[in-house]
Amino acid sequence: MATALASLLLGGPGAAASPAGGPGAPPGGGPAPLTVRTDAGAVRGSLTPAGHGLFRGVPYAGPPEGEHRWAAPRPVAPWKGVRDATEPGPLCPQVPSAYAPIASEEEDCLVLNVTAPRTVRPGHRAPVLVWIHGDGSVGGGAFFDGRRFADRGVVVVTVNYRLGVFGGLALPGLEGSGTFGLQDQQAALRWVRRNAAAFGGDPRNVTVAGSSFGAAAITGHLTSPAARGLFDRVALSSGEGMMDMPAGAMGPEVPGYEWFVWRTGHEMEDVTAEMTRPLGCASPDPARTLRCLRGLPVKRILAVPYIMNAFQAFGHDNRTLPELPPRALAEGRFHRVPVLSGATLDEHRTFVGMRYDAVNRPFTEDDYDQALTRAFGTRLAAVVAAAYPLEDFPSPALAWSTVVTDRMWARGTHAQHTALGRHVPVYAYEFADRDAPMYLPLPGRFDFGAFHAGDTPYLFEDEEAVRRFTPAQKRLSDTMTDFWAGFARSGTPNAPGLPAWAPYRPGAPVPYTQSLAPDAIGPVDYAREHRLRFWHHRAR
């Protein structure tokens, strides 16, 4: 199933992984060298004319190759001399997609990138923001430019981790099954605790942030015993941690799931058996199967159709995730840290648009009727159709997008805010810019609105987005970055000169949610806007 697209589509055309034009590339001239010592050895980054310290492709774990493929991340082998860190490291194995035309077969990919504010001063202690990119099958940390946060005094770390089958494969008896990508992220967070000070960061003030699949991973970390003490705050954007999926929501061929991103160990093993069957490694002995799979070239594994997309979920009932994360969150068993969390106004338009109208395959009235029946059954479909009549929408595609946005995304987001808000400070938001720049290279016309993860380029520098921003959108971007940077600094987005942002209080008649739109920042009744009372009584 497709989850987050933002790791690449929101990197935008300007997000090329090269020192000349890529994320973090210094404007107006070449960089000056800059050397910092990590616990594994010295790295040479660059100091830009603007004063940012840039370090790329810094290893945080050893190569997951050979017998270390589908194993816990191992320590980096120390090196002598000074390691070059002026160019991004390799992406983890992935295949091109319609929205991300990139590929990699390189397993030695567990690297991260650091953007330090102005000059690197080891005695200075700046807040640290660690970014976990979205999508479980494509992307990499180097596509996200942290200079906007660095300008506000925040050290930014972006991370590569194992994707798709390389992060989620599961076999009976295999320690860590279904969680290798999560384990990589935790290894990166441990690296940050050990090394942040060398880059001017405060190792005791770490915010882990992510969008979509990345945000879902972070909800897993909130409940993972192994992640205890690895972060001090959490920022979640368009996360699916407490979201289910009605049948057909992600396409008519996709079944419904009780949870969007969580699977039992047995379910992950079943996916592995089905997807790896063409590789000829099936055996009654799981150890023999594993040896065979570890011996295959990356290219051969990636050639299996959909093998990367099939693993965009995390396994639970294991050492990394001992229990189902949404149950643990609902029952208050999670690490107590402040949370900034939200979603977009039109989450599901991305997924409907890129499958139908935006590729010149109109979603018709018949499609709408069939989608409602598939998702809710004949009786409830009629009730939903009456609540969301086609005449209320410009097109059937927008009607279906709204139904799924409200039923799946908003309902899951509301449940997450309610569960977290009972125990820790939560600052809830809704990104509501319906003119946000869209980067999908699609031939058809479609109103994507405030689409899934459309807030990402408002936080991370992107040349194409900045060129397309109106003055009001540029102000919104500045304000949002101020909010996030303030949260990373102090645990609250509130600061002098910014619009007030009250905490989300589950017991309030209307829990506070901050709507973020150009020149229109203020409270919104999130439950009313997305008809959550209706869905509360008719969700099952």
Side-chain angles (χ1 to χ4, degrees):
M1 65 186 167
T3 58
L5 310 179
S7 59
L8 272 299
L9 78 89
L10 291 178
S18 70
L34 184 66
T35 300
V36 165
R37 180 164 294 279
T38 73
D39 60 348
V43 293
R44 180 186 297 110
S46 56
L47 182 64
T48 74
H52 302 105
L54 303 177
F55 302 84
R56 298 167 170 174
V58 180
Y60 67 86
E65 302 168 320
E67 65 179 333
H68 299 285
R69 183 189 287 174
W70 299 305
R74 56 187 170 131
V76 174
W79 59 86
K80 296 180 180 180
V82 180
R83 183 186 182 106
D84 182 74
T86 59
E87 298 187 15
L91 296 171
C92 287
Q94 53 194 277
V95 295
S97 70
Y99 55 85
I102 58 172
S104 175
E105 297 175 12
E106 178 59 66
E107 288 186 278
D108 187 2
C109 63
L110 299 185
V111 299
L112 49 76
N113 314 282
V114 181
T115 304
R118 300 304 173 187
T119 57
V120 176
R121 293 177 291 161
H124 181 61
R125 292 292 181 263
V128 181
L129 187 145
V130 180
W131 178 253
I132 308 296
H133 72 79
D135 209 307
S137 62
V138 298
F143 289 97
F144 297 89
D145 183 337
R147 284 177 294 168
R148 192 177 288 156
F149 281 109
D151 284 340
R152 289 159 172 82
V154 179
V155 173
V156 177
V157 180
T158 65
V159 180
N160 285 7
Y161 58 92
R162 280 174 282 183
L163 305 170
V165 64
F166 295 94
L169 179 134
L171 290 169
L174 175 60
E175 182 65 37
S177 283
T179 69
F180 299 110
L182 289 177
Q183 292 185 61
D184 292 345
Q185 295 165 20
Q186 292 178 359
L189 289 167
R190 288 191 291 272
W191 184 96
V192 169
R193 286 293 203 206
R194 298 193 309 270
N195 292 284
F199 298 87
D202 184 351
R204 308 317 307 174
N205 187 5
V206 175
T207 297
V208 58
S211 179
S212 193
F213 188 82
I218 295 169
T219 61
H221 297 314
L222 278 170
T223 71
S224 172
R228 183 180 301 277
L230 295 184
F231 49 85
D232 307 285
R233 322 188 201 291
V234 158
L236 308 170
S237 300
S238 296
E240 307 108 344
M242 295 190 75
M243 193 169 85
D244 67 351
M245 184 169 65
M250 302 303 293
E253 76 285 359
V254 181
Y257 286 95
E258 184 177 6
W259 301 108
F260 192 72
V261 293
W262 313 114
R263 301 288 183 270
T264 66
H266 289 307
E267 287 173 326
M268 296 296 286
E269 290 169 11
D270 288 344
V271 172
T272 297
E274 179 180 355
M275 297 308 301
T276 61
R277 189 173 294 114
L279 295 171
C281 288
S283 168
D285 179 5
R288 184 174 180 179
T289 299
L290 180 62
R291 285 194 300 271
C292 176
L293 291 172
R294 282 175 170 167
L296 295 177
V298 170
K299 184 175 183 178
R300 185 174 175 190
I301 296 171
L302 293 178
V304 176
Y306 309 113
I307 196 168
M308 294 297 282
N309 290 341
F311 287 89
Q312 295 190 70
F314 303 111
H316 59 90
D317 300 331
N318 52 59
R319 183 176 298 179
T320 302
L321 295 178
E323 60 180 320
L324 179 67
R327 180 179 301 125
L329 293 175
E331 296 176 3
R333 294 188 299 279
F334 61 89
H335 308 313
R336 300 289 200 263
V337 296
V339 175
L340 189 154
S341 174
T344 71
L345 177 59
D346 304 304
E347 286 281 357
H348 208 65
R349 288 194 191 185
T350 299
F351 304 97
V352 175
M354 64 182 260
R355 187 181 184 102
Y356 294 101
D357 293 42
V359 291
N360 293 319
R361 287 184 55 216
F363 188 86
T364 66
E365 293 185 20
D366 285 344
D367 290 328
Y368 184 57
D369 291 340
Q370 292 172 21
L372 291 177
T373 301
R374 186 179 299 110
F376 308 115
T378 303
R379 183 187 62 80
L380 183 54
V383 176
V384 176
Y388 294 79
L390 281 174
E391 55 265 27
D392 285 358
F393 299 92
S395 70
L398 290 180
W400 176 236
S401 299
T402 304
V403 168
V404 183
T405 293
D406 292 355
R407 164 63 181 79
M408 191 170 82
W409 294 91
R411 185 167 165 266
T413 298
H414 180 265
Q416 179 172 280
H417 291 167
T418 299
L420 294 169
R422 292 191 182 110
H423 303 280
V424 298
V426 171
Y427 294 91
Y429 77 89
E430 178 173 74
F431 178 76
D433 183 1
R434 281 185 156 159
D435 294 313
M438 163 56 72
Y439 303 108
L440 282 172
L442 300 172
R445 297 176 60 85
F446 185 70
D447 180 7
F448 283 98
F451 56 95
H452 176 68
D455 46 352
T456 304
Y458 287 69
L459 299 171
F460 288 89
E461 188 77 16
D462 179 83
E463 294 177 4
E464 178 67 15
V466 170
R467 282 196 293 267
R468 296 172 62 182
F469 277 166
T470 65
Q473 288 174 320
K474 178 62 170 63
R475 289 191 294 272
L476 175 62
S477 173
D478 288 341
T479 300
M480 287 175 59
T481 310
D482 287 339
F483 278 143
W484 265 249
F487 178 78
R489 184 173 296 107
S490 65
T492 171
N494 289 292
L498 294 178
W501 191 336
Y504 184 96
R505 303 194 187 282
V510 181
Y512 193 95
T513 298
Q514 188 85 296
S515 177
L516 302 172
D519 292 335
I521 295 176
V524 62
D525 188 338
Y526 187 80
R528 181 177 181 181
E529 181 181 48
H530 293 285
R531 311 187 203 194
L532 296 185
R533 183 179 295 237
F534 170 84
W535 289 111
H536 177 72
H537 295 292
R538 296 169 176 85
R540 297 293 180 185

